[in-house]
Amino acid sequence: LELRPAEIFSTIAVFLALRLALIILPQGWAALKMIYVVVSRIQQYLDLPDAVPREMLPDASDSAVEVGDAVLGWPGYGDEQPESPEQPVVSGSLCVRHGQSVALV
């Protein structure tokens, strides 16, 4: 069997081209899987129901913010533990006028 340099070099070139393709193939597969995950997450977000519309104050209202019949609570307030998680710590209403500064402590 006689080997000529042209056949040897062309065979080596083919194997080098295949080597590069086989190295890049797993990276391409991983990129396609990441794209699939991203698209499925975007689709899940787009499939979420629309937010419930909030009740807005009339344009002629003197109030900037109005909160009515609010019940607020949090676990582990200081040393005093609420008897049950449903027990409110603060309840009531709040009305803030335009230009008024308010701090809730």
Side-chain angles (χ1 to χ4, degrees), residues 36-93:
Y36 174 76
V37 169
V38 167
V39 169
S40 65
R41 287 179 180 172
I42 291 172
Q43 187 63 45
Q44 287 175 353
Y45 176 75
L46 293 175
D47 288 342
L48 289 174
D50 291 337
V52 178
R54 296 183 180 165
E55 190 175 321
M56 301 298 287
L57 293 172
D59 290 336
S61 175
D62 292 335
S63 302
V65 176
E66 281 187 25
V67 179
D69 299 327
V71 178
L72 306 173
W74 54 91
Y77 175 67
D79 294 331
E80 302 171 12
Q81 295 287 334
E83 293 175 10
S84 70
E86 293 82 24
Q87 181 181 359
V89 176
V90 177
S91 62
S93 299

